[in-house]
Amino acid sequence: MTSIHDLANPGVQKLTPYAPGKPLDELEREYGITDAVKLASNENPLGPSPRAQAAIAQAMTELHRYPDGNSFEIKQALSAKLGLEQNQITLGNGSNDILELIARTFVMPGEEVVFSAHAFAVYPIVTQAVNGVMKIAPANPAGHAMPYGHDLAAMLAQITDKTRVIFVANPNNPTGTWLPKDELYSFIKNVPENIIVVVDEAYFEYVEEGEYPDASQWLGEFKNLVVTRTFSKIYGIPAVRIGYGMSHPDLADLLNRVRQPFNVNAAAQAAAVAALSDDEYVAKSLETNKQGMAQLIGACEEMDLGYIPSVGNFICIDVASNTGVDTGAVYEGLLHEGVIVRPVANYQLPSYLRITIGTQQENQRFIDGLKKVLAK
Ligand SMILES: *Cc1c(COP(=O)(O)O)cnc(C)c1O
């Protein structure tokens, strides 16, 4: 008898599903802990913007209606904020939805998708799901100024006449590494214009480096460019799922053809409009992140642990190389201390754990927990 597994398309048969951060409830249930902290999913530690919460409460009075399938209000707000036409914006159920729409729109079985080693886990998933072939470029070496970051020359070298899409994460998750303006611009210029270049800017709002580019500025020049952003990170509403793509209108038109008619729910649309206007919340989030990043880096230096310099709201810390302790044991030990972080062995970074920057108190819980676990 045929196994069900064998009936799946070959890409799906080989696919490893996305492993999310462990939910707080699950840890508390399994370990009998009541005051656990989660620093595992790059969530905003401040809780949601009060404006977004109020907007959702209002949206709930219309639960019996389908959402606006064209997401008019949030498109209008984004278009004003970004200086783009509404027909350049594609809304998604999280920006992961946009990444998937791109693969479904442009990649046929056997065609190739290029991305870097240590790049965001959703790129292999959306590629394999459409039977695309993954071409993984080697990343920068450990000793590089941007260790484990994208090597754009190596990515260009992966291009063949079968390449359809290239995913660039700027900054990348889980490494937190980033690409400066000149390098990224000349990379895109060097990519043949029949290949779609996706610049994933999920952490755009966190980055303060002067040379960090806003790739959406180049949309007028490159018809093959899609820039994605999300409301899940600094805007603090990952629970409702909303993100967006920015592109030439013709490319947006293609994505719109394969998009589910109501892929962005009403609560998400309302919350996003409110979150987008909450400058105070965004500024406070940025400040909290800056202080928390300094706190965690200080702890790494005090404990003589390596880390990957990051411009996101997370940092990968090498808990194993200088301590001789097994990374998995440190992760488990932290769980027992009520601290959830993210193992990144699946990203070929086996000695690291990725820590999301939390509040001052949450970061301290992590630091104290780590000291305790490493002292055992
Ligand atoms: C978090 C993240 C996303 C976005 O996730 P959504 O919640 O689906 O918007 C996209 N890319 C990277 C690199 C991320 O880390």
Side-chain angles (χ1 to χ4, degrees):
M1 197 190 117
T2 340
S3 83
I4 290 290
H5 180 269
D6 297 338
L7 303 179
N9 93 40
V12 173
Q13 290 184 35
K14 281 178 270 169
L15 205 157
T16 312
Y18 184 82
K22 196 177 185 65
L24 273 170
D25 289 353
E26 191 179 299
L27 176 79
E28 295 186 346
R29 219 165 36 234
E30 290 174 0
Y31 290 68
I33 298 171
T34 51
D35 60 345
V37 302
K38 183 183 176 203
L39 300 173
S41 299
N42 300 346
E43 294 154 345
N44 191 319
L46 300 183
S49 134
R51 288 202 206 179
Q53 287 186 70
I56 288 182
Q58 176 58 34
M60 292 302 92
T61 63
E62 296 291 322
L63 270 183
H64 60 302
R65 305 281 180 208
Y66 273 94
D68 175 1
N70 187 37
S71 300
F72 175 77
E73 281 192 33
I74 181 60
K75 262 191 198 167
Q76 189 180 48
L78 282 169
S79 133
K81 177 149 184 137
L82 302 165
L84 298 172
E85 298 297 326
Q86 288 191 42
N87 63 7
Q88 294 184 269
I89 300 169
T90 306
L91 270 297
N93 193 287
S95 57
N96 286 336
D97 190 21
I98 306 290
L99 303 176
E100 191 192 21
L101 293 178
I102 292 166
R104 283 169 56 209
T105 302
F106 293 103
V107 184
M108 299 218 295
E111 294 182 334
E112 296 174 357
V113 175
V114 173
F115 49 88
S116 173
H118 317 296
F120 185 45
V122 168
Y123 311 151
I125 293 175
V126 301
T127 303
Q128 289 174 285
V130 298
N131 274 296
V133 176
M134 301 185 284
K135 301 290 274 187
I136 304 177
N140 293 335
H144 193 277
M146 216 74 89
Y148 308 108
H150 293 11
D151 174 344
L152 293 177
M155 291 178 73
L156 278 180
Q158 291 293 330
I159 293 176
T160 72
D161 56 7
K162 285 191 179 157
T163 309
R164 294 294 172 265
V165 173
I166 303 180
F167 287 111
V168 177
N170 196 31
N172 183 45
N173 167 21
T175 56
T177 49
W178 61 285
L179 297 158
K181 193 176 201 158
D182 296 352
E183 275 181 47
L184 185 57
Y185 177 83
S186 57
F187 171 80
I188 299 172
K189 205 148 175 107
N190 279 312
V191 172
E193 60 189 16
N194 63 341
I195 298 173
I196 306 301
V197 179
V198 182
V199 179
D200 178 345
E201 296 184 341
Y203 302 92
F204 176 83
E205 300 83 3
Y206 281 106
V207 189
E208 297 191 292
E209 263 66 15
E211 288 306 302
Y212 175 72
D214 170 354
S216 74
Q217 301 292 313
W218 304 328
L219 288 172
E221 188 173 349
F222 302 113
K223 284 190 179 170
N224 57 330
L225 174 63
V226 190
V227 182
T228 60
R229 291 190 195 153
T230 182
F231 285 94
S232 298
K233 305 290 159 57
I234 209 165
Y235 288 108
I237 48 171
V240 288
R241 315 298 304 126
I242 178 164
Y244 57 98
M246 301 174 274
S247 67
H248 188 278
D250 293 350
L251 201 159
D253 170 62
L254 293 169
L255 299 182
N256 191 46
R257 296 178 194 194
V258 295
R259 182 179 67 82
Q260 293 284 321
F262 304 105
N263 63 330
V264 183
N265 70 70
Q269 293 184 35
V273 172
L276 196 65
S277 70
D278 198 342
D279 296 337
E280 194 185 322
Y281 175 82
V282 171
K284 198 169 164 202
S285 302
L286 199 55
E287 188 52 35
T288 304
N289 194 62
K290 214 190 292 189
Q291 289 174 10
M293 183 66 88
Q295 186 184 3
L296 289 187
I297 288 175
C300 288
E301 280 162 6
E302 186 200 329
M303 299 168 79
D304 192 29
L305 299 177
Y307 61 90
I308 305 175
S310 165
V311 293
N313 65 341
F314 54 89
I315 183 168
C316 281
I317 300 180
D318 184 343
V319 295
S321 298
N322 291 352
T323 61
V325 182
D326 175 69
T327 313
V330 178
Y331 170 69
E332 273 295 326
L334 284 166
L335 289 181
H336 283 279
E337 296 299 320
V339 181
I340 313 173
V341 298
R342 192 71 155 268
V344 284
N346 56 327
Y347 285 96
Q348 281 69 56
L349 295 167
S351 65
Y352 289 85
L353 291 173
R354 192 196 68 192
I355 324 302
T356 299
I357 311 300
T359 61
Q360 201 271 337
Q361 291 87 339
E362 289 172 333
N363 300 333
Q364 200 55 50
R365 274 284 298 276
F366 161 72
I367 294 166
D368 294 345
L370 182 62
K371 284 182 178 164
K372 198 163 158 189
V373 170
L374 291 179
K376 271 181 189 159

